[in-house]
Short mmCIF file of all heavy atoms in Angstrom, two decimals:
data_model
loop_
_atom_site.label_atom_id
_atom_site.label_comp_id
_atom_site.label_asym_id
_atom_site.label_seq_id
_atom_site.Cartn_x
_atom_site.Cartn_y
_atom_site.Cartn_z
N MET A 1 -95.33 35.94 46.51
CA MET A 1 -94.23 35.55 47.35
C MET A 1 -93.45 36.72 47.80
O MET A 1 -93.19 37.69 47.01
CB MET A 1 -93.35 34.52 46.63
CG MET A 1 -92.40 33.86 47.59
SD MET A 1 -91.06 32.91 47.00
CE MET A 1 -91.55 31.78 45.84
N THR A 2 -92.95 36.72 49.01
CA THR A 2 -92.18 37.84 49.46
C THR A 2 -90.74 37.50 49.44
O THR A 2 -90.37 36.35 49.29
CB THR A 2 -92.56 38.16 50.91
OG1 THR A 2 -92.23 37.04 51.70
CG2 THR A 2 -94.05 38.62 51.08
N ASP A 3 -89.90 38.53 49.53
CA ASP A 3 -88.54 38.40 49.55
C ASP A 3 -87.89 38.26 50.91
O ASP A 3 -86.70 38.64 51.14
CB ASP A 3 -87.75 39.45 48.68
CG ASP A 3 -88.02 39.42 47.22
OD1 ASP A 3 -88.41 38.28 46.79
OD2 ASP A 3 -87.87 40.35 46.50
N THR A 4 -88.62 37.74 51.82
CA THR A 4 -88.15 37.62 53.24
C THR A 4 -87.04 36.64 53.28
O THR A 4 -87.12 35.57 52.73
CB THR A 4 -89.33 37.15 54.15
OG1 THR A 4 -90.27 38.13 54.09
CG2 THR A 4 -88.79 37.15 55.59
N LYS A 5 -85.88 36.96 53.88
CA LYS A 5 -84.75 36.11 54.05
C LYS A 5 -84.71 35.64 55.43
O LYS A 5 -84.90 36.37 56.36
CB LYS A 5 -83.51 36.82 53.51
CG LYS A 5 -83.55 37.19 52.17
CD LYS A 5 -82.29 37.66 51.59
CE LYS A 5 -82.38 37.95 50.03
NZ LYS A 5 -81.19 37.66 49.35
N LYS A 6 -84.19 34.36 55.49
CA LYS A 6 -83.93 33.79 56.83
C LYS A 6 -82.54 33.39 56.85
O LYS A 6 -81.86 33.20 55.88
CB LYS A 6 -84.73 32.47 57.01
CG LYS A 6 -86.31 32.70 56.95
CD LYS A 6 -86.83 33.51 58.12
CE LYS A 6 -88.33 33.59 57.99
NZ LYS A 6 -88.90 34.32 59.11
N THR A 7 -81.91 33.21 58.08
CA THR A 7 -80.58 32.82 58.25
C THR A 7 -80.39 31.32 58.63
O THR A 7 -81.28 30.79 59.39
CB THR A 7 -79.90 33.65 59.44
OG1 THR A 7 -80.06 35.02 59.06
CG2 THR A 7 -78.50 33.18 59.60
N ILE A 8 -79.53 30.72 57.95
CA ILE A 8 -79.32 29.33 58.31
C ILE A 8 -77.88 29.25 58.80
O ILE A 8 -76.91 29.68 58.13
CB ILE A 8 -79.41 28.37 57.01
CG1 ILE A 8 -80.75 28.40 56.39
CG2 ILE A 8 -79.05 26.93 57.29
CD1 ILE A 8 -80.91 27.74 55.12
N GLU A 9 -77.69 28.59 59.95
CA GLU A 9 -76.35 28.40 60.47
C GLU A 9 -75.79 27.05 60.06
O GLU A 9 -76.42 26.09 60.14
CB GLU A 9 -76.36 28.38 62.01
CG GLU A 9 -76.78 29.71 62.58
CD GLU A 9 -76.75 29.84 64.07
OE1 GLU A 9 -75.99 29.01 64.67
OE2 GLU A 9 -77.36 30.76 64.71
N LEU A 10 -74.56 27.08 59.51
CA LEU A 10 -73.85 25.94 58.98
C LEU A 10 -72.56 25.77 59.59
O LEU A 10 -71.90 26.78 59.95
CB LEU A 10 -73.66 26.13 57.42
CG LEU A 10 -74.91 26.36 56.61
CD1 LEU A 10 -74.38 26.64 55.13
CD2 LEU A 10 -75.79 25.07 56.57
N PRO A 11 -72.10 24.52 59.77
CA PRO A 11 -70.66 24.36 60.12
C PRO A 11 -69.77 24.84 59.06
O PRO A 11 -70.16 24.90 57.81
CB PRO A 11 -70.61 22.83 60.29
CG PRO A 11 -71.92 22.34 60.35
CD PRO A 11 -72.87 23.21 59.63
N GLU A 12 -68.61 25.23 59.41
CA GLU A 12 -67.69 26.01 58.56
C GLU A 12 -67.39 24.97 57.34
O GLU A 12 -67.29 25.45 56.21
CB GLU A 12 -66.41 26.36 59.28
CG GLU A 12 -65.48 27.16 58.33
CD GLU A 12 -64.26 27.66 59.05
OE1 GLU A 12 -64.08 27.47 60.27
OE2 GLU A 12 -63.41 28.22 58.33
N GLU A 13 -67.27 23.78 57.53
CA GLU A 13 -66.92 22.78 56.53
C GLU A 13 -67.94 22.71 55.52
O GLU A 13 -67.77 22.65 54.26
CB GLU A 13 -66.78 21.41 57.16
CG GLU A 13 -66.23 20.41 56.20
CD GLU A 13 -65.96 19.03 56.83
OE1 GLU A 13 -65.01 18.98 57.67
OE2 GLU A 13 -66.66 18.16 56.48
N LEU A 14 -69.28 22.76 55.93
CA LEU A 14 -70.42 22.78 55.00
C LEU A 14 -70.49 24.09 54.20
O LEU A 14 -70.75 24.10 53.00
CB LEU A 14 -71.67 22.46 55.76
CG LEU A 14 -72.94 22.28 54.97
CD1 LEU A 14 -72.83 21.23 53.86
CD2 LEU A 14 -74.11 21.91 55.81
N TYR A 15 -70.20 25.15 54.90
CA TYR A 15 -70.26 26.42 54.23
C TYR A 15 -69.21 26.55 53.18
O TYR A 15 -69.45 26.99 52.02
CB TYR A 15 -70.02 27.63 55.32
CG TYR A 15 -69.90 28.95 54.65
CD1 TYR A 15 -71.11 29.61 54.23
CD2 TYR A 15 -68.62 29.53 54.34
CE1 TYR A 15 -71.01 30.86 53.57
CE2 TYR A 15 -68.60 30.78 53.77
CZ TYR A 15 -69.77 31.41 53.39
OH TYR A 15 -69.63 32.54 52.77
N ASN A 16 -67.97 26.05 53.44
CA ASN A 16 -66.90 26.02 52.52
C ASN A 16 -67.37 25.15 51.28
O ASN A 16 -67.02 25.51 50.09
CB ASN A 16 -65.62 25.52 53.19
CG ASN A 16 -65.10 26.61 54.13
OD1 ASN A 16 -65.44 27.68 54.10
ND2 ASN A 16 -64.30 26.10 55.04
N ALA A 17 -67.87 24.00 51.60
CA ALA A 17 -68.37 23.15 50.44
C ALA A 17 -69.41 23.82 49.48
O ALA A 17 -69.33 23.78 48.32
CB ALA A 17 -68.95 21.90 50.95
N LEU A 18 -70.24 24.63 50.21
CA LEU A 18 -71.28 25.36 49.45
C LEU A 18 -70.55 26.41 48.57
O LEU A 18 -71.02 26.55 47.36
CB LEU A 18 -72.22 26.08 50.38
CG LEU A 18 -73.42 26.81 49.87
CD1 LEU A 18 -74.40 25.79 49.30
CD2 LEU A 18 -74.05 27.66 50.92
N GLN A 19 -69.54 27.05 49.09
CA GLN A 19 -68.79 27.99 48.26
C GLN A 19 -68.09 27.30 47.05
O GLN A 19 -68.04 27.84 46.04
CB GLN A 19 -67.78 28.85 49.13
CG GLN A 19 -68.44 29.63 50.22
CD GLN A 19 -69.58 30.33 49.86
OE1 GLN A 19 -69.50 31.34 49.02
NE2 GLN A 19 -70.73 30.18 50.50
N GLU A 20 -67.59 26.19 47.33
CA GLU A 20 -66.95 25.41 46.27
C GLU A 20 -67.96 25.06 45.23
O GLU A 20 -67.65 25.07 43.99
CB GLU A 20 -66.22 24.18 46.76
CG GLU A 20 -64.91 24.48 47.59
CD GLU A 20 -64.32 23.15 48.03
OE1 GLU A 20 -64.40 22.13 47.44
OE2 GLU A 20 -63.72 23.25 49.17
N LEU A 21 -69.11 24.55 45.55
CA LEU A 21 -70.23 24.23 44.69
C LEU A 21 -70.59 25.44 43.84
O LEU A 21 -70.95 25.33 42.70
CB LEU A 21 -71.44 23.67 45.39
CG LEU A 21 -71.60 22.16 45.56
CD1 LEU A 21 -72.76 21.85 46.45
CD2 LEU A 21 -71.59 21.54 44.30
N LYS A 22 -70.63 26.53 44.44
CA LYS A 22 -71.07 27.84 43.77
C LYS A 22 -69.98 27.98 42.62
O LYS A 22 -70.51 28.35 41.48
CB LYS A 22 -70.98 28.97 44.65
CG LYS A 22 -71.56 30.37 44.14
CD LYS A 22 -71.30 31.46 45.09
CE LYS A 22 -71.81 31.30 46.44
NZ LYS A 22 -71.67 32.57 47.29
N GLN A 23 -68.75 27.83 42.79
CA GLN A 23 -67.73 27.92 41.77
C GLN A 23 -68.02 26.86 40.70
O GLN A 23 -67.86 27.25 39.43
CB GLN A 23 -66.30 27.88 42.30
CG GLN A 23 -66.01 29.07 43.20
CD GLN A 23 -64.68 28.91 43.80
OE1 GLN A 23 -63.99 27.88 43.73
NE2 GLN A 23 -64.11 30.00 44.46
N VAL A 24 -68.23 25.74 41.06
CA VAL A 24 -68.48 24.60 40.11
C VAL A 24 -69.74 24.84 39.25
O VAL A 24 -69.63 24.75 38.01
CB VAL A 24 -68.64 23.24 40.81
CG1 VAL A 24 -69.14 22.14 39.86
CG2 VAL A 24 -67.33 22.90 41.39
N PHE A 25 -70.85 25.29 39.88
CA PHE A 25 -72.00 25.61 39.06
C PHE A 25 -71.79 26.75 38.13
O PHE A 25 -72.30 26.70 37.10
CB PHE A 25 -73.21 25.93 40.03
CG PHE A 25 -73.72 24.71 40.85
CD1 PHE A 25 -74.40 24.85 42.00
CD2 PHE A 25 -73.60 23.34 40.29
CE1 PHE A 25 -74.89 23.67 42.70
CE2 PHE A 25 -74.06 22.21 41.00
CZ PHE A 25 -74.78 22.46 42.26
N SER A 26 -71.03 27.76 38.54
CA SER A 26 -70.77 28.89 37.73
C SER A 26 -69.94 28.49 36.49
O SER A 26 -70.23 28.86 35.38
CB SER A 26 -69.87 29.92 38.42
OG SER A 26 -70.68 30.60 39.48
N GLN A 27 -69.02 27.56 36.66
CA GLN A 27 -68.25 27.00 35.60
C GLN A 27 -69.05 26.30 34.64
O GLN A 27 -69.02 26.31 33.41
CB GLN A 27 -66.95 26.20 36.10
CG GLN A 27 -65.96 27.01 36.77
CD GLN A 27 -64.86 26.28 37.51
OE1 GLN A 27 -65.03 25.05 37.54
NE2 GLN A 27 -63.90 26.88 37.93
N LEU A 28 -69.94 25.40 35.21
CA LEU A 28 -70.71 24.58 34.36
C LEU A 28 -71.82 25.38 33.54
O LEU A 28 -72.12 24.88 32.42
CB LEU A 28 -71.49 23.49 35.26
CG LEU A 28 -70.66 22.36 35.83
CD1 LEU A 28 -71.49 21.63 36.81
CD2 LEU A 28 -70.04 21.56 34.86
N THR A 29 -72.28 26.39 34.10
CA THR A 29 -73.34 27.13 33.46
C THR A 29 -72.72 28.40 32.68
O THR A 29 -73.53 29.01 31.91
CB THR A 29 -74.38 27.67 34.43
OG1 THR A 29 -73.72 28.52 35.45
CG2 THR A 29 -75.09 26.50 35.07
N ASN A 30 -71.51 28.65 32.94
CA ASN A 30 -70.88 29.89 32.31
C ASN A 30 -71.65 31.20 32.78
O ASN A 30 -71.62 32.10 32.07
CB ASN A 30 -70.80 29.87 30.75
CG ASN A 30 -69.83 28.75 30.28
OD1 ASN A 30 -68.67 28.67 30.94
ND2 ASN A 30 -70.13 28.13 29.30
N GLN A 31 -72.21 31.16 34.02
CA GLN A 31 -72.94 32.28 34.54
C GLN A 31 -72.45 32.44 35.97
O GLN A 31 -72.23 31.47 36.69
CB GLN A 31 -74.42 32.05 34.56
CG GLN A 31 -75.04 31.98 33.19
CD GLN A 31 -76.50 31.65 33.30
OE1 GLN A 31 -77.13 31.70 34.28
NE2 GLN A 31 -77.14 31.35 32.21
N GLU A 32 -72.27 33.62 36.33
CA GLU A 32 -71.89 33.87 37.68
C GLU A 32 -72.93 33.64 38.66
O GLU A 32 -74.07 34.23 38.49
CB GLU A 32 -71.26 35.37 37.84
CG GLU A 32 -70.65 35.67 39.22
CD GLU A 32 -70.06 37.08 39.37
OE1 GLU A 32 -70.23 37.76 38.37
OE2 GLU A 32 -69.39 37.31 40.41
N ILE A 33 -72.70 32.80 39.66
CA ILE A 33 -73.70 32.66 40.73
C ILE A 33 -73.20 33.22 41.94
O ILE A 33 -72.18 32.90 42.55
CB ILE A 33 -73.96 31.07 40.98
CG1 ILE A 33 -74.42 30.46 39.66
CG2 ILE A 33 -74.92 30.85 42.13
CD1 ILE A 33 -74.63 28.93 39.71
N LYS A 34 -73.92 34.37 42.42
CA LYS A 34 -73.45 35.15 43.57
C LYS A 34 -74.09 34.74 44.89
O LYS A 34 -73.54 35.02 45.88
CB LYS A 34 -73.69 36.57 43.23
CG LYS A 34 -72.94 37.23 42.18
CD LYS A 34 -73.20 38.62 41.95
CE LYS A 34 -72.35 39.18 40.76
NZ LYS A 34 -72.63 40.66 40.66
N ASP A 35 -75.35 34.24 44.82
CA ASP A 35 -76.11 34.06 45.92
C ASP A 35 -76.00 32.59 46.45
O ASP A 35 -76.28 31.73 45.60
CB ASP A 35 -77.55 34.50 45.64
CG ASP A 35 -78.43 34.67 46.82
OD1 ASP A 35 -77.89 34.35 47.95
OD2 ASP A 35 -79.62 35.08 46.77
N ASP A 36 -75.82 32.46 47.64
CA ASP A 36 -75.71 31.10 48.30
C ASP A 36 -77.14 30.45 48.10
O ASP A 36 -77.20 29.18 47.79
CB ASP A 36 -75.40 31.13 49.88
CG ASP A 36 -73.95 31.60 49.98
OD1 ASP A 36 -73.16 31.58 49.05
OD2 ASP A 36 -73.65 31.95 51.17
N ALA A 37 -78.26 31.17 48.19
CA ALA A 37 -79.59 30.62 47.99
C ALA A 37 -79.71 29.94 46.64
O ALA A 37 -80.43 29.01 46.44
CB ALA A 37 -80.69 31.76 48.15
N ASP A 38 -79.13 30.54 45.59
CA ASP A 38 -79.11 29.96 44.30
C ASP A 38 -78.57 28.53 44.23
O ASP A 38 -78.99 27.59 43.60
CB ASP A 38 -78.42 30.80 43.18
CG ASP A 38 -79.14 32.15 42.98
OD1 ASP A 38 -80.39 32.15 43.23
OD2 ASP A 38 -78.55 33.05 42.55
N VAL A 39 -77.47 28.40 45.00
CA VAL A 39 -76.75 27.07 45.11
C VAL A 39 -77.78 26.11 45.66
O VAL A 39 -77.83 24.96 45.28
CB VAL A 39 -75.46 27.19 45.82
CG1 VAL A 39 -74.78 25.76 45.95
CG2 VAL A 39 -74.47 28.15 44.98
N ILE A 40 -78.28 26.49 46.84
CA ILE A 40 -79.22 25.69 47.67
C ILE A 40 -80.37 25.37 46.64
O ILE A 40 -80.85 24.13 46.64
CB ILE A 40 -79.71 26.35 48.90
CG1 ILE A 40 -78.37 26.40 49.85
CG2 ILE A 40 -80.67 25.52 49.59
CD1 ILE A 40 -78.55 27.25 51.05
N GLY A 41 -80.86 26.28 45.95
CA GLY A 41 -81.93 26.01 45.02
C GLY A 41 -81.63 25.06 43.99
O GLY A 41 -82.49 24.16 43.67
N ILE A 42 -80.48 25.07 43.37
CA ILE A 42 -80.06 24.04 42.45
C ILE A 42 -79.89 22.74 43.05
O ILE A 42 -80.37 21.72 42.44
CB ILE A 42 -78.68 24.55 41.81
CG1 ILE A 42 -78.73 25.74 40.99
CG2 ILE A 42 -78.12 23.39 41.03
CD1 ILE A 42 -77.43 26.45 40.63
N LEU A 43 -79.41 22.55 44.24
CA LEU A 43 -79.36 21.31 44.90
C LEU A 43 -80.75 20.74 45.21
O LEU A 43 -80.91 19.56 44.95
CB LEU A 43 -78.52 21.44 46.21
CG LEU A 43 -77.02 21.79 46.03
CD1 LEU A 43 -76.45 22.03 47.39
CD2 LEU A 43 -76.34 20.66 45.33
N VAL A 44 -81.57 21.51 45.70
CA VAL A 44 -82.89 21.06 46.05
C VAL A 44 -83.65 20.66 44.82
O VAL A 44 -84.39 19.64 44.83
CB VAL A 44 -83.69 22.11 46.87
CG1 VAL A 44 -85.29 21.78 46.96
CG2 VAL A 44 -83.04 22.35 48.30
N SER A 45 -83.69 21.50 43.70
CA SER A 45 -84.39 21.08 42.53
C SER A 45 -83.77 19.79 41.98
O SER A 45 -84.52 19.01 41.39
CB SER A 45 -84.44 22.27 41.51
OG SER A 45 -83.15 22.53 41.02
N GLY A 46 -82.49 19.66 42.03
CA GLY A 46 -81.79 18.44 41.48
C GLY A 46 -82.27 17.28 42.27
O GLY A 46 -82.51 16.23 41.75
N PHE A 47 -82.41 17.35 43.56
CA PHE A 47 -82.77 16.32 44.42
C PHE A 47 -84.23 15.93 44.14
O PHE A 47 -84.53 14.74 43.91
CB PHE A 47 -82.67 16.68 45.89
CG PHE A 47 -83.13 15.65 46.81
CD1 PHE A 47 -82.46 14.55 47.04
CD2 PHE A 47 -84.43 15.77 47.40
CE1 PHE A 47 -82.81 13.58 47.96
CE2 PHE A 47 -84.87 14.83 48.29
CZ PHE A 47 -84.16 13.72 48.49
N ILE A 48 -85.09 16.92 43.95
CA ILE A 48 -86.53 16.59 43.68
C ILE A 48 -86.63 15.94 42.22
O ILE A 48 -87.34 14.99 42.13
CB ILE A 48 -87.30 17.83 43.79
CG1 ILE A 48 -87.39 18.35 45.16
CG2 ILE A 48 -88.77 17.75 43.14
CD1 ILE A 48 -87.98 19.70 45.38
N ASP A 49 -85.89 16.39 41.24
CA ASP A 49 -85.95 15.86 39.98
C ASP A 49 -85.43 14.43 40.08
O ASP A 49 -86.01 13.52 39.37
CB ASP A 49 -85.06 16.65 39.00
CG ASP A 49 -85.57 17.94 38.61
OD1 ASP A 49 -86.82 18.23 38.89
OD2 ASP A 49 -84.88 18.76 38.00
N SER A 50 -84.37 14.07 40.80
CA SER A 50 -83.94 12.76 40.94
C SER A 50 -84.98 11.77 41.49
O SER A 50 -85.25 10.64 41.07
CB SER A 50 -82.63 12.64 41.76
OG SER A 50 -81.69 13.33 41.13
N ILE A 51 -85.62 12.19 42.61
CA ILE A 51 -86.69 11.49 43.24
C ILE A 51 -87.88 11.31 42.25
O ILE A 51 -88.36 10.06 42.13
CB ILE A 51 -87.19 12.17 44.55
CG1 ILE A 51 -86.02 12.26 45.59
CG2 ILE A 51 -88.39 11.45 45.06
CD1 ILE A 51 -85.58 10.95 45.98
N GLN A 52 -88.18 12.26 41.48
CA GLN A 52 -89.32 12.12 40.51
C GLN A 52 -88.97 11.08 39.43
O GLN A 52 -89.69 10.24 38.96
CB GLN A 52 -89.70 13.51 39.97
CG GLN A 52 -90.43 14.33 40.89
CD GLN A 52 -90.75 15.76 40.42
OE1 GLN A 52 -90.09 16.16 39.44
NE2 GLN A 52 -91.67 16.49 40.94
N ASN A 53 -87.72 11.19 38.97
CA ASN A 53 -87.26 10.22 37.95
C ASN A 53 -87.31 8.83 38.45
O ASN A 53 -87.74 7.83 37.68
CB ASN A 53 -85.88 10.61 37.43
CG ASN A 53 -85.91 11.87 36.63
OD1 ASN A 53 -86.96 12.18 35.91
ND2 ASN A 53 -84.77 12.54 36.36
N LEU A 54 -86.76 8.60 39.71
CA LEU A 54 -86.80 7.28 40.24
C LEU A 54 -88.20 6.70 40.35
O LEU A 54 -88.54 5.59 40.08
CB LEU A 54 -86.22 7.33 41.73
CG LEU A 54 -84.68 7.34 41.67
CD1 LEU A 54 -84.20 7.57 43.15
CD2 LEU A 54 -84.01 6.10 41.04
N GLN A 55 -89.22 7.67 40.82
CA GLN A 55 -90.54 7.17 41.00
C GLN A 55 -91.12 6.83 39.66
O GLN A 55 -91.88 5.90 39.45
CB GLN A 55 -91.36 8.32 41.68
CG GLN A 55 -91.06 8.41 43.15
CD GLN A 55 -91.82 9.60 43.70
OE1 GLN A 55 -92.36 10.48 43.05
NE2 GLN A 55 -91.98 9.52 45.07
N GLU A 56 -90.83 7.66 38.58
CA GLU A 56 -91.29 7.34 37.18
C GLU A 56 -90.78 6.02 36.77
O GLU A 56 -91.54 5.21 36.13
CB GLU A 56 -90.98 8.46 36.25
CG GLU A 56 -91.75 9.72 36.49
CD GLU A 56 -91.22 10.84 35.66
OE1 GLU A 56 -90.37 10.65 34.79
OE2 GLU A 56 -91.64 12.05 35.87
N GLN A 57 -89.56 5.71 36.99
CA GLN A 57 -88.88 4.50 36.53
C GLN A 57 -89.55 3.36 37.25
O GLN A 57 -89.83 2.32 36.69
CB GLN A 57 -87.35 4.50 36.70
CG GLN A 57 -86.70 5.41 35.76
CD GLN A 57 -85.13 5.43 36.07
OE1 GLN A 57 -84.72 4.99 37.04
NE2 GLN A 57 -84.38 6.01 35.10
N GLU A 58 -89.69 3.45 38.53
CA GLU A 58 -90.32 2.41 39.48
C GLU A 58 -91.76 2.11 38.78
O GLU A 58 -92.17 0.93 38.72
CB GLU A 58 -90.33 2.83 40.84
CG GLU A 58 -89.04 2.62 41.52
CD GLU A 58 -89.08 3.01 43.02
OE1 GLU A 58 -90.13 3.25 43.59
OE2 GLU A 58 -87.99 3.08 43.58
N ASN A 59 -92.51 3.18 38.58
CA ASN A 59 -93.81 2.95 38.08
C ASN A 59 -93.88 2.32 36.69
O ASN A 59 -94.70 1.52 36.41
CB ASN A 59 -94.65 4.25 38.00
CG ASN A 59 -94.89 5.03 39.41
OD1 ASN A 59 -94.97 4.24 40.38
ND2 ASN A 59 -95.10 6.29 39.36
N ALA A 60 -92.92 2.70 35.83
CA ALA A 60 -92.80 2.13 34.53
C ALA A 60 -92.42 0.71 34.62
O ALA A 60 -92.95 -0.10 33.95
CB ALA A 60 -91.82 2.89 33.60
N ASN A 61 -91.53 0.43 35.46
CA ASN A 61 -91.10 -0.98 35.75
C ASN A 61 -92.16 -1.83 36.24
O ASN A 61 -92.41 -3.02 35.87
CB ASN A 61 -89.85 -1.03 36.54
CG ASN A 61 -88.50 -0.54 35.92
OD1 ASN A 61 -88.46 -0.40 34.66
ND2 ASN A 61 -87.59 -0.15 36.75
N ASN A 62 -93.00 -1.25 37.19
CA ASN A 62 -94.15 -2.08 37.69
C ASN A 62 -95.23 -2.25 36.69
O ASN A 62 -95.95 -3.21 36.78
CB ASN A 62 -94.61 -1.39 39.00
CG ASN A 62 -93.75 -1.42 40.04
OD1 ASN A 62 -92.85 -2.23 40.16
ND2 ASN A 62 -93.80 -0.51 41.05
N SER A 63 -95.27 -1.39 35.59
CA SER A 63 -96.32 -1.59 34.66
C SER A 63 -95.89 -2.26 33.43
O SER A 63 -96.62 -2.41 32.39
CB SER A 63 -96.88 -0.22 34.26
OG SER A 63 -95.87 0.60 33.62
N GLY A 64 -94.52 -2.60 33.46
CA GLY A 64 -93.93 -3.33 32.36
C GLY A 64 -93.42 -2.48 31.17
O GLY A 64 -93.05 -2.97 30.11
N ILE A 65 -93.36 -1.25 31.41
CA ILE A 65 -92.88 -0.34 30.38
C ILE A 65 -91.37 -0.21 30.52
O ILE A 65 -90.88 -0.02 31.59
CB ILE A 65 -93.46 1.12 30.54
CG1 ILE A 65 -94.92 1.03 30.29
CG2 ILE A 65 -92.82 2.20 29.50
CD1 ILE A 65 -95.63 2.43 30.62
N ILE A 66 -90.61 -0.28 29.32
CA ILE A 66 -89.24 -0.16 29.38
C ILE A 66 -88.82 1.25 29.22
O ILE A 66 -89.30 2.06 28.42
CB ILE A 66 -88.55 -1.01 28.19
CG1 ILE A 66 -88.93 -2.50 28.31
CG2 ILE A 66 -87.12 -0.84 28.07
CD1 ILE A 66 -88.54 -3.27 27.18
N THR A 67 -87.91 1.74 30.21
CA THR A 67 -87.45 3.07 30.22
C THR A 67 -85.94 3.20 30.05
O THR A 67 -85.36 4.08 30.75
CB THR A 67 -88.00 3.83 31.41
OG1 THR A 67 -87.40 3.13 32.61
CG2 THR A 67 -89.50 3.92 31.56
N GLU A 68 -85.34 2.48 29.27
CA GLU A 68 -83.85 2.53 29.17
C GLU A 68 -83.48 3.80 28.61
O GLU A 68 -84.09 4.40 27.78
CB GLU A 68 -83.43 1.38 28.26
CG GLU A 68 -83.47 0.01 28.75
CD GLU A 68 -82.94 -1.01 27.86
OE1 GLU A 68 -81.99 -0.66 27.13
OE2 GLU A 68 -83.45 -2.15 27.83
N GLY A 69 -82.33 4.36 29.14
CA GLY A 69 -81.74 5.61 28.77
C GLY A 69 -82.32 6.71 29.43
O GLY A 69 -82.05 7.88 29.21
N LYS A 70 -83.33 6.54 30.33
CA LYS A 70 -83.89 7.72 31.01
C LYS A 70 -83.05 7.91 32.24
O LYS A 70 -82.48 7.21 32.88
CB LYS A 70 -85.33 7.29 31.46
CG LYS A 70 -86.15 8.57 31.15
CD LYS A 70 -87.56 8.28 31.66
CE LYS A 70 -88.24 9.54 31.44
NZ LYS A 70 -89.56 9.60 32.05
#
């Protein structure tokens, strides 16, 4: 994989929200997050994890497996 970077244009409100999230993630992890790409990566991976968990729960529910607490 290369380190080629692309530019994404965001409305100012969304950019400001991204900066706020960067601070929140830094506080939650006790690690400084400097790169906006790291914030976007955290959001994307969290979204994908959520979708996968929902699919696993639906599959388990359809097969009669109880997945409480997941």
